Each structure stands twice: as C-alpha cells, then as structure tokens.
Amino acid sequence: MPPLNLGNQQPRTPLNADQAWRTTASRAAGTVLFFDFDGTLAPVDDDPTAVRPAPKALAAIEALAPIVQRVAIVSARPVEFLRDQLGGLDGVDLYGLYGLEHSHSGGETVTEPAALPWVPTMAELADLARAELPPGTLVEYKRLSVALHWRTAPRLGPTVQQWGQAQADRLGLRVQAGRMVLELKPPVDRDKGMVIGEAIKGATGAWYFGDDVSDIKAFAALRARAAADPDFLGVCVAVANPETGHEVANAADLTIESPAALGDFLTQALTHLP
C-alpha cells in the first residue's frame, strides 16, 4: 500500500498503512476501530433512506470484530437505522445521532437523558421545515435532530442554510454542517470527539474512519490521546468526498478513495492481524 497521504498534517510517527496495521497487530486486543457510516461505510445517496453499506466493508468489519477490542459505528444516523443496515453484526457498538444514542453489542438503545425533552421541538421543527423550505429540500427527521438536505438541488444551499441557522438561533439549537446538509441538534454536549475520547480510555490504540467535517473532532480526540500517551497508536483515515473532502483529508493521516475502496483496505488489513 502507498505511504500515508498527510495533507497539511503530520502523523505522530511516519508510518505507512502496512506498517500501521503491523503495529496494530501487536496490540489488537487493545485496539478500537471506529467507523462513520454515510460516506464511509456506505456511499452517499440522494435519498438518505436508500443508503446501503458497501458489502465488502461490512464483511471485513465482521471479520475484524473478534480480533480487536471493539468495533464501533459513530454516526449522525439513529441507532435503529444503523442496526437495520448492519444486519445484526455481533460485537459492534453503535453510537447514533453523534452520541445522543448508543447501543453496546446488540443491547438496548440508551438515549442521553438531557436530549429527551427536545423530542417535541424536533418534531415541530421538521413539520415547519417541510412547510417553509422550497421544493427540492429533503427534510430528514431523526427524533432528536433534523437534517436539511439540498443534494438534489444545490442552488438551494444558501437558502436552506440561512433558514436553518435562523431556526437554530430562535430555538437555541446547535448546528452541524455536512456534505450538502445542515443538521439541527439539541444543545446537549455530545459529539463524535467526545464519544471517541470516552471510548478509548484504557485502549492501546484506535483507528477512526470518516469522511465529513464532523469526523474531524474524532480525529482530534485520537491526536489528543496520542499526545498525552506516547504508547498509544492513533490513526485517522479520511474517505474522500467531492464536497468537504479536502478539509477532512488535511486532518487525516491517510485518505481512501471510497467506501468500496475501504472494503478492500480492511480486507488487506486482515492479512496483518492475528
């Protein structure tokens, strides 16, 4: 495999991908593998409900799960959606809605208590968005967040973003920008960086695979742990995308071309692990 594509960042140690996996092999029992879902495990689709994970990536994760300490999916999607898409993979932890929901190894879904009072607000916001935003805007209601997509009508981007920011200011919500999408969330302190920071306590290494700007916080959590612990191996992997990919790649150690290529990458990694 080629050397790490570093963008404007420098890795903690000058490893190429094969060297990183070989180093991981010696500490596999203490390593956590984290994956974003949309754009990372699954290609982005105009219809968010039609997204399906790349089969080869899913098969590789199933093979990796018993080798490493943990495999976790960390996504903006609800846990229920992730569970359906992953087909009941054993030993995989699910963090949905940026960590507002989680389920460990197939267990029950637990919701962050501070977010629950915001469910009615989000339902009302979704109805308002459908009524006020122009045709071509796709409104995705997720119970604890509302995502406003303009992928099929790029010209609507400025209008949707302005409307979304105004509603966030009015209701006291937080905004998460993404690939031709603006997501409005409760003002609760949960994001991908916080999830990863908590989940790697006690781990000897971790890889994070992501494609969008929300994943940069996860990269930062790995960097912070590596800076505090020289024995910790943290590897940040970007999956390329045409919208926000440059910013994400610049924050990563390695860039992979697509979810399909990620499947090949993980399958190759299995040759280095015990």
Side-chain angles (χ1 to χ4, degrees):
M1 288 187 180
L4 298 185
N5 176 5
L6 304 177
N8 292 331
Q9 301 284 330
Q10 292 298 319
R12 188 168 58 88
T13 52
L15 300 176
N16 65 26
D18 286 339
Q19 288 171 329
W21 281 119
R22 283 194 291 270
T23 303
T24 296
S26 66
R27 61 184 77 199
T31 293
V32 186
L33 303 180
F34 297 99
F35 299 89
D36 173 48
F37 185 77
D38 290 277
T40 300
L41 291 180
V44 170
D45 194 279
D46 289 347
D47 178 0
T49 65
V51 169
R52 297 293 181 269
K56 201 165 188 179
L58 207 59
I61 286 178
E62 187 170 18
L64 286 164
I67 297 173
V68 297
Q69 183 186 87
R70 297 173 67 191
V71 172
I73 312 302
V74 187
S75 173
R77 298 283 198 160
V79 163
E80 182 179 1
F81 175 89
L82 296 173
R83 186 180 285 123
D84 290 344
Q85 293 296 306
L86 296 171
L89 283 180
D90 292 332
V92 176
D93 295 338
L94 305 177
Y95 293 90
L97 304 176
Y98 303 96
L100 293 178
E101 296 180 339
H102 67 266
S103 172
H104 294 300
S105 300
E108 66 175 324
T109 300
V110 177
T111 301
E112 186 71 24
L116 286 173
W118 291 89
V119 171
T121 300
M122 292 300 165
E124 293 169 6
L125 177 63
D127 289 340
L128 187 65
R130 295 186 185 103
E132 294 190 354
L133 286 171
T137 309
L138 191 153
V139 179
E140 183 185 8
Y141 171 60
K142 306 181 188 179
R143 189 174 73 103
L144 290 172
S145 70
V146 175
L148 309 173
H149 301 262
W150 59 89
R151 178 167 296 278
T152 60
R155 69 188 184 282
L156 297 179
T159 299
V160 174
Q161 292 174 82
Q162 184 178 12
W163 187 93
Q165 186 62 61
Q167 297 304 316
D169 293 342
R170 178 177 69 87
L171 296 169
L173 303 175
R174 293 183 181 173
V175 169
Q176 174 65 61
R179 297 176 59 181
M180 305 186 82
V181 62
L182 190 75
E183 189 149 12
L184 284 75
K185 310 184 294 180
V188 178
D189 286 331
R190 296 298 292 169
D191 60 36
K192 291 185 176 184
M194 295 177 69
V195 168
I196 273 57
E198 294 168 2
I200 58 177
K201 291 178 180 177
T204 58
W207 292 60
Y208 186 94
F209 299 82
D211 76 303
D212 210 345
V213 290
S214 64
D215 298 306
I216 294 175
K217 291 184 178 180
F219 292 170
L222 292 191
R223 304 266 189 227
R225 173 62 190 279
D229 179 2
D231 293 327
F232 179 84
L233 175 66
V235 183
C236 305
V237 184
V239 179
N241 80 71
E243 291 97 19
T244 59
H246 180 73
E247 185 177 356
V248 182
N250 282 350
D253 300 315
L254 169 68
T255 299
I256 294 173
E257 292 181 359
S258 65
L262 174 60
D264 293 331
F265 179 80
L266 295 175
T267 300
Q268 179 64 27
L270 285 164
T271 65
H272 296 300
L273 298 177

